Amino acid sequence: MPTPRTRVPGAIALSIFVAVPLGSGPAYAQSFVIGNGVTAGQQTMSNTGDTGVVSQTGVIETTGTGADAVRMLGADQRLTNNGLIKTLGGAAANVHSQGADATILNNGATLAIGDGSIGVLSEGNDVDVVNNGSIEALGVATYGIISDAAGGRVDNHGFIGVSGTAAAGLIGDGPDLTISNSGAIEAYGIAAGGILWQSNGLRLDNSGSITVSGPASVGIGASGNDVAIANSGTVNVFGTASTGIGTLFGNATITNSGSVIVEGVGAVGIAAQGGNSVITNSGRVFSDQSVAIYFGAPDATLNLLGGTAIQGPIVFSGSGNTVTFGPALSAVTSFSGTGLPQTVLTGGRPFATSGESVAVVDITGFASSAPLIEDLVDGIVGTAEARMAAPNDDLPNRGRNAWISTFGGIRSQGSSGASAGFSEGLGGIVAGAERRSGDGFLGGLLLGGAAGSTQVEDDAQEIVHRSAFAGGYLGYDAGARFAGANFVAGVLQERSRRRVANNLALDGIETARADFNGIFLSPSVTLGMRLPVATGTLIPSVRLRYAGLFIDDYAETGSDGDLAVSRRDANIFEARGEVALALAPVSTPSQAWQTTLRTGIDAIAQDSGEVSATLLGQDISFGAGGKKMIVRGFAGADVAAEVGAGMTLNAGFEAGYGSDDAFTVRGQARLSKAF
């Protein structure tokens, strides 16, 4: 299993690019088709626009040093291989294209055996090479694909495999080349390479897999200026002094959202040797015996985003360096070489430094407290509010009632400021008893429990919630007008699991854990009226509500950041304007039910206050969402049905979207029994 080390290697390995002279043979054809079951020798296309096709069981085979299998000498030529193209003897290419604007499509297989052999050699400008099949080359200095001219494009969706000293899957020196690998590239041997390039303007996107093994081997290497490499796949490199992804010159941009793993003494995960280089990481970079990320020149920038996992030292050189920490990322990051970068940017998230280390805390979990208590209170009190606002109709709602209700809801909230996006799910059960008097008064008590969780994007944090609560409600119904008041209070137990990126920890990740408790309370008042209309009863209403959450202090365990948080609170003030339409009741000899449609607007003021804490032994304070005004629109429906034996079933749902980029869905079901 990989273990973190702190030693810096003496050199960064990049393979040597080898130029191979190619032999030539006689031309046997212009445009050609090799049919099924046919085995042919060397094919040559000389004229502009010539085409060549090898059918599924067709074969082109040559033997002897320098004997290319297919030669494409003109412009705008196209080769489609669905069969097998094979060369034996060395210093030969399966396909050798010299003209501009050619297209080479391999859906079958090519096999080149012998030192200096090449699968596909492209020497013309603006040539497209697409591999959906397999390209293999075996021998010293063998190559899967070479592109040596400007403006080319190589797309590998299949398999490229090479074996031998200085062998490489893709290699070349054409400027402004675009490479896309969604397939698999494998290279084995001393100084072997997956993809190697030595010209300016390379654009490379790897979403597939690259596996390279051997001393001084390289997964992806580029020696030109203004290179952009994006890896969302896997790069695995094994061998002494090997490199996962490396660039030699300046203005390089390397983006890793996938996995880069190197094993071996002196092996480096990602190396940027030139000045003004930028590495952006949201994936995995592991070095089991040496350096994970290496900058060999000043004015370098390292961007660490949510999902980052780095195992091994991070080395900067010179001055003018910058490290940035993005949203949904908590980290304890240590630096080697010239040490802590001169500029540390966190986007407003709190951080502390100690020696050559910096610790950063993502605040999303703190900012989610106010929406959590808002949703929890709404679910609890909503079970009583729906009852009080019910239209004065023929459904059984007089006298004593005992009831039981379930509620649930989900929230999906986008990022805002320093907070990342998060999702929340809640559910609970409430039981109560009430009495509605003949003079219009309604009173009741309730108690219950709820559970749920909050998930921060990129698996940055999970908070599990458990709560118990009790409350009461009082209402007055004068027929045309009604009023209600509610109060609920409870305890909240929370268990937090926070993902902390630490490049000196095994697998680059620590898990910071904490258990903490809080109490919450919420009073509310509702005023409304009923207006008869042709389709039923129109019910406009206004509700005012306060909800407060008061959380005890706690300290995390399991992370070198040693985060300890003081007592804090979150306060929510909400005003709701709603218009409901209760449709006329529907009755049958055995059943009666009524549907109510509703819509409205919420105006919400959230105040999460300042959080005081210690991080890396230093006092810090930060805003956990701060003061925020939110406007939310919503719509919903409720159904009340008499189900017999004096029992009534109420069910409803509500969906809303707010200016805080939060989408919410809430629902409840309630069964009551009249006595």
Side-chain angles (χ1 to χ4, degrees):
M1 182 174 292
T3 56
R5 300 295 177 92
T6 59
R7 190 168 62 83
V8 180
I12 305 299
L14 284 177
S15 291
I16 300 172
F17 295 85
V18 179
V20 180
L22 297 176
S24 60
Y28 293 123
Q30 303 299 315
S31 291
F32 67 86
V33 174
I34 307 300
N36 287 323
V38 175
T39 298
Q42 185 184 73
Q43 303 294 307
T44 299
M45 296 185 287
S46 300
N47 299 323
T48 298
D50 281 350
T51 62
V53 176
V54 183
S55 301
Q56 287 186 343
T57 59
V59 177
I60 298 177
E61 180 177 343
T62 62
T63 59
T65 302
D68 299 336
V70 177
R71 297 173 62 84
M72 303 170 65
L73 306 181
D76 295 309
Q77 295 181 339
R78 180 181 179 90
L79 171 68
T80 302
N81 174 43
N82 299 312
L84 172 64
I85 301 176
K86 181 168 61 173
T87 61
L88 305 172
N94 295 126
V95 180
H96 183 183
S97 172
Q98 300 179 30
D101 300 310
T103 299
I104 301 169
L105 175 61
N106 178 50
N107 299 318
T110 72
L111 176 62
I113 298 177
D115 295 346
S117 295
I118 302 168
V120 176
L121 172 60
S122 168
E123 296 181 309
N125 292 335
D126 302 312
V127 172
D128 289 342
V129 180
V130 180
N131 176 45
N132 298 314
S134 67
I135 297 175
E136 296 183 70
L138 308 176
V140 175
T142 54
Y143 307 105
I145 298 174
I146 294 180
S147 180
D148 275 347
R153 180 177 180 89
V154 178
D155 291 284
N156 177 49
H157 310 293
F159 173 76
I160 299 175
V162 295
S163 180
T165 299
L170 293 175
I171 191 170
D173 62 0
D176 302 318
L177 180 77
T178 300
I179 298 176
S180 176
N181 175 51
S182 60
I185 298 175
E186 297 182 9
Y188 302 95
I190 298 172
I195 300 175
L196 302 176
W197 227 261
Q198 57 180 9
S199 190
N200 299 332
L202 173 67
R203 298 295 181 264
L204 191 155
D205 182 5
N206 175 52
S207 59
S209 66
I210 298 174
T211 303
V212 184
S213 180
S217 57
V218 179
I220 299 174
S223 58
N225 289 298
D226 302 312
V227 168
I229 298 172
N231 175 53
S232 59
T234 61
V235 178
N236 296 323
V237 183
F238 310 97
T240 301
S242 59
T243 302
I245 299 176
T247 59
L248 284 180
F249 299 127
N251 300 314
T253 300
I254 301 173
T255 302
N256 176 53
S257 58
S259 174
V260 179
I261 298 176
V262 295
E263 295 184 10
V265 176
V268 178
I270 300 177
Q273 297 277 36
N276 296 301
S277 294
V278 178
I279 296 176
T280 300
N281 184 66
S282 59
R284 300 195 306 162
V285 183
F286 289 179
S287 175
D288 74 328
Q289 298 184 51
S290 188
V291 169
I293 294 178
Y294 179 86
F295 290 99
D299 300 316
T301 299
L302 175 62
N303 300 316
L304 300 177
L305 306 180
T308 283
I310 299 172
Q311 176 184 296
I314 299 172
V315 179
F316 278 92
S317 302
S319 60
N321 300 312
T322 300
V323 60
T324 68
F325 295 86
L329 175 64
S330 295
V332 179
T333 306
S334 300
F335 300 93
S336 302
T338 55
L340 187 69
Q342 289 71 33
T343 302
V344 178
L345 303 176
T346 65
R349 285 163 283 277
F351 73 98
T353 61
S354 177
E356 305 303 328
S357 299
V358 57
V360 182
V361 176
D362 178 68
I363 69 168
T364 309
F366 298 95
S368 69
S369 295
L372 166 70
I373 200 62
E374 175 192 335
D375 296 341
L376 178 59
V377 167
D378 194 80
I380 298 169
V381 180
T383 60
E385 287 178 337
R387 181 67 171 167
M388 290 189 296
N392 190 4
D393 50 53
D394 295 331
L395 293 178
N397 57 11
R398 297 280 189 256
R400 295 182 178 88
N401 282 271
W403 54 269
I404 187 168
S405 178
T406 61
F407 68 88
I410 58 173
R411 171 185 289 263
S412 177
Q413 184 157 329
S415 60
S416 175
S419 298
F422 66 92
S423 60
E424 170 203 292
L426 282 173
I429 185 167
V430 189
E434 65 187 28
R435 184 177 186 276
R436 189 186 294 268
S437 66
D439 55 2
F441 284 97
L442 169 69
L445 299 173
L446 60 86
L447 58 86
S453 67
T454 298
Q455 301 275 352
V456 180
E457 65 183 27
D458 291 323
D459 195 30
Q461 187 173 7
E462 179 189 42
I463 306 174
V464 177
H465 318 287
R466 299 287 186 271
S467 66
F469 48 82
Y473 52 98
L474 178 67
Y476 177 72
D477 191 339
R481 293 177 175 82
F482 63 90
N486 297 271
F487 179 81
V488 65
V491 295
L492 181 66
Q493 295 180 328
E494 299 193 275
R495 173 164 292 181
S496 170
R497 174 190 60 80
R498 192 165 60 91
R499 183 182 189 272
V500 181
N502 186 338
N503 61 304
L504 299 186
L506 185 64
D507 295 331
I509 296 296
E510 296 177 318
T511 300
R513 302 182 185 276
D515 294 336
F516 47 95
N517 301 319
I519 61 172
F520 64 92
L521 57 88
S522 176
S524 62
V525 61
T526 302
L527 301 173
M529 58 192 305
R530 299 185 181 92
L531 304 172
V533 294
T535 54
T537 304
L538 192 66
I539 310 174
S541 63
V542 175
R543 183 188 71 197
L544 300 177
R545 175 188 289 166
Y546 164 78
L549 174 62
F550 308 92
I551 301 175
D552 293 339
D553 55 3
Y554 65 90
E556 289 184 339
T557 60
S559 170
D560 290 345
D562 294 327
L563 178 68
V565 181
S566 300
R567 295 171 61 91
R568 60 190 178 93
D569 58 72
N571 299 279
I572 301 97
F573 300 88
E574 178 187 296
R576 165 170 285 205
E578 178 181 283
V579 177
L581 176 62
L583 303 177
V586 178
S587 299
T588 68
S590 60
Q591 196 175 42
W593 68 89
Q594 185 172 31
T595 301
T596 301
L597 308 176
R598 52 192 175 86
T599 187
I601 295 176
D602 292 327
I604 305 166
Q606 293 180 356
D607 183 2
S608 298
E610 286 285 314
V611 177
S612 297
T614 59
L615 181 66
L616 284 182
Q618 302 178 30
D619 292 335
I620 60 171
S621 63
F622 55 93
K627 296 181 179 180
K628 185 183 299 183
M629 287 296 302
I630 301 164
V631 177
R632 178 176 62 202
F634 66 89
D638 303 290
V639 176
E642 180 184 353
V643 294
M647 292 189 293
T648 303
L649 177 65
N650 299 80
F653 80 95
E654 176 184 298
Y657 182 78
S659 58
D660 55 349
D661 194 22
F663 175 71
T664 56
V665 177
R666 301 161 182 167
Q668 61 174 288
R670 166 175 157 157
L671 183 65
S672 59
K673 169 69 175 176
F675 296 95

